[in-house]
Amino acid sequence: MHLQFRRGSATMSLSHRTGWFIATATVAATLAYGYACTPATKSPGAIGASDAASKVYVAPGAHDEFYAFLSGGFNGQVGVYGLPSGRLLKIIPVFSQFAENGYGYSEETKPMLETTFGNIPWDDLHHTALSQTNGEDDGRWLFVNANNTPRVARVDLSTFETSEILQIPNSGGNHGSPYITSNSEYVLASTRFSVPIPQADVPISDFAKKFKGTISFVKADQPGKMDVSFQLLVPGYNYDLARAGKGPSKDWVFFTSYNSEQAYEKLEVNASKADKDFIAAINWRTLETCAKDGKAENWPADYMHNVMDEFTRTAQVERKQSVKVLTPTTCPNSIYFLPTPKSPHGADVDPSGEYIVAGGKLATVIPVHSFTKLQQAIKDQAFETTIEGIPVLKYEAILAGEVKDPGLGPLHTEFDGKGYAYTSLFISSEIVKWKLGTWEIVDRVPTYYSIGHLMIPGGATTKPAGKYVVALNKITKDRYLPTGPELTQSAQLYDISGDKMKLLLDFPTTGEPHYGNAIEAAKIEKLQKKFFTLAENRHPQVTKAEREAGVSRNGKVVHVRMAAIRSHFAPDNIEGVQVGDTVLFHVTNLEQDWDIPHGFAIQGATTSELLVMPGETRTLRWVPKQIGVYPMYCTDFCSALHQEMSGYVRVSPVGSNVPLVGNTLKAQGQAARAAARGVTLPTPPGAVTGAAHAHGTAPSPTPR
Ligand code: RUQ
Ligand code: CUA
């Protein structure tokens, strides 16, 4: 018999129905054995509805205690939620274009999605890692991975924007990524799919001979400077997930691998034959020393590094052509294999740094390795064999213990900092709580349904805030109002402050959440940037005051330097554009106030709209195809006179003699003459009316 299961909700596999059955059975069992459950509630496993409600209730105007960053899976974005309320606060686009703010569409942000394969508008984002200092979340950055076209990105948590994306060369599927070392020295990334390295035209049947994996160490401690410091070439398995050590194990990283069978067809059968696969335990300090001592070879590679420049707010692309490669033989004692049953998925390290827990998705136990024993086994050379220069340690020599009968399909484990671990079980759709050291199961709760990852605020650090666990579920079925064939994905919040886990809340998520992180809000709130300083804006087409606005032609390209301020554009009427011109609207938002973006849209633009933050410049490209007069307007309800924030562009035939003008120049002339006479022109009404609708209440003076 082999167990079969699939992630994703597109198909109901037979085994999922089994999972469903088991989940239902678990619920029934839970009820039958008198699990603390108030009959009034609709959700089995939940505490009384009003109790639960009061625990997640955040009063109007009050703030949540935690920020949660949940990956969006196939949507390529990150969702930001407040906990315990589960309220969605923001979507941060990373590897996908985002119509809400023009990310990936505006000229400044398009280069962020540039790769050596071209501009990629959509990728698959699985895992998150918050930056750490001394093993604790520090709130500076969030790292995330692109799974399909291998990349790692940094999100700056002062702006909640993607600030940097690094492509990972010599990788095929960047799943085991990004995991972070305890002082944010490195972000880790591994190949899920082994490939010929360097890429080559070879028969697929040469898999075992020619295909390899890589583990990349990305230097990440300086913003804007991510780079692959070195790669370790490893046997052609599938490297799945990872964790860095902490405390005593902080110089080590642990990667799960499956398919040590090296199957290249029908993996669901052929990669599930061996009893055990491996966790690769890697000492990154040793690798660092080898690289410093010149043991790495420079291999040709082709990858891109895209950085959002802080002052031009424009992404710059750098193409890199080589990478340092180490192997287990050129850098001995840097990597060991820990036999681990069976096709392990997650690898998780407890807050003390002693225990390495594997989620053997087809295993009947949860194996836990001991870091102390691992070191001893290395000293004693307790090796079973050696594979491609990698010593394989004896299972019994490194094993701390096994959690017996955890349920079906253990995937991921998080920790509460109070001596307990929580493991997600995909097939039996539940969370089990067990004790570190004794390995006994102390509690289990059903999840609705098919949990993948789970997350405890700070659960990946040395100091978890063991208050809640969030289940990140793949399937919701009957939990919400139906919405056609595609139903929402969902997270569930459980109270873990007591002995028993208690379900408090279901909340829908954007996309399919894989991993997520949550952090005390205070660590991030204090770092917030409220607007970009106009005086520091170094965009080449910036308009720092209305008098600098204007239009100019360079052959078929028309540049419009445009100012946006409540409640007008300058210029607001443009003539002299011709059919087939490329018109670049460089819109600078002159506001210097929190929460006052302006939008920009023009009829027939085939890119997107813009949303321009205070103090920044964003550019929309527009190529008019027909003569006429086209309206343009602000798309963000910024003030009482937002509807008046509009204008026209006149488009004439090719070769027309209509001169190119933007009307601000006239208005500006008036203002200049008035200023020369010592007269102050009345401030436009919109500028003093204050914001309306969604954008706060504080009016700001017009900085002219
Ligand atoms: S993986 S469950 Cu990327 Cu576990 Cu999602
Ligand atoms: Cu600016 Cu509406």
Side-chain angles (χ1 to χ4, degrees), residues 564-569 591 596-599 633-639 641-643 645:
I565 189 157
R566 281 165 288 175
S567 299
H568 60 277
F569 291 111
E591 311 279 353
I596 310 290
H598 290 289
Y633 69 101
C634 171
T635 53
D636 186 312
F637 207 108
C638 52
S639 66
L641 295 177
H642 154 78
Q643 289 298 84
M645 195 164 174

Side-chain angles (χ1 to χ4, degrees), residues 658-674:
V658 176
L660 183 70
V661 284
N663 73 343
T664 345
L665 306 177
K666 275 183 264 156
Q668 207 50 62
Q670 266 175 27
R673 280 194 299 281

Side-chain angles (χ1 to χ4, degrees), residues 561-676:
R561 286 153 62 116
M562 184 178 266
I565 189 157
R566 281 165 288 175
S567 299
H568 60 277
F569 291 111
D572 66 354
N573 278 216
I574 297 163
E575 298 196 347
V577 169
Q578 297 178 9
V579 169
D581 281 346
T582 295
V583 185
L584 295 165
F585 295 92
H586 310 286
V587 184
T588 303
N589 179 345
L590 299 185
E591 311 279 353
Q592 290 289 272
D593 195 359
W594 198 15
D595 201 16
I596 310 290
H598 290 289
F600 179 80
I602 183 154
Q603 187 176 341
T606 53
T607 46
S608 141
E609 299 163 12
L610 296 177
L611 192 68
V612 190
M613 294 305 127
E616 81 173 359
T617 305
R618 285 281 181 254
T619 300
L620 181 127
R621 175 188 293 263
W622 181 63
V623 183
K625 298 204 172 66
Q626 276 148 23
I627 57 148
V629 178
Y630 298 96
M632 56 183 182
Y633 69 101
C634 171
T635 53
D636 186 312
F637 207 108
C638 52
S639 66
L641 295 177
H642 154 78
Q643 289 298 84
E644 282 71 12
M645 195 164 174
S646 66
Y648 289 103
V649 180
R650 172 181 171 189
V651 178
S652 305
V654 181
S656 137
N657 57 9
V658 176
L660 183 70
V661 284
N663 73 343
T664 345
L665 306 177
K666 275 183 264 156
Q668 207 50 62
Q670 266 175 27
R673 280 194 299 281

Side-chain angles (χ1 to χ4, degrees), residues 193-195 202-211 236-238 259-273:
F193 309 109
S194 283
V195 286
V202 300
I204 298 169
S205 54
D206 281 357
F207 187 96
K209 267 187 282 167
K210 304 240 168 89
F211 288 41
Y237 307 157
N238 293 49
N259 194 17
S260 52
E261 297 87 347
Q262 298 192 290
Y264 56 88
E265 54 187 359
K266 299 201 187 75
L267 257 63
E268 65 177 341
V269 178
N270 295 330
S272 306
K273 288 184 171 154

Side-chain angles (χ1 to χ4, degrees), residues 7 126-127 147 175 241 345 411-412 452-453 474 513-515:
R7 270 183 265 146
H126 275 219
H127 310 124
N147 210 352
H175 190 253
L241 284 162
H345 184 59
L411 292 185
H412 298 283
H453 280 261
K474 306 296 183 194
H514 285 261
Y515 192 44

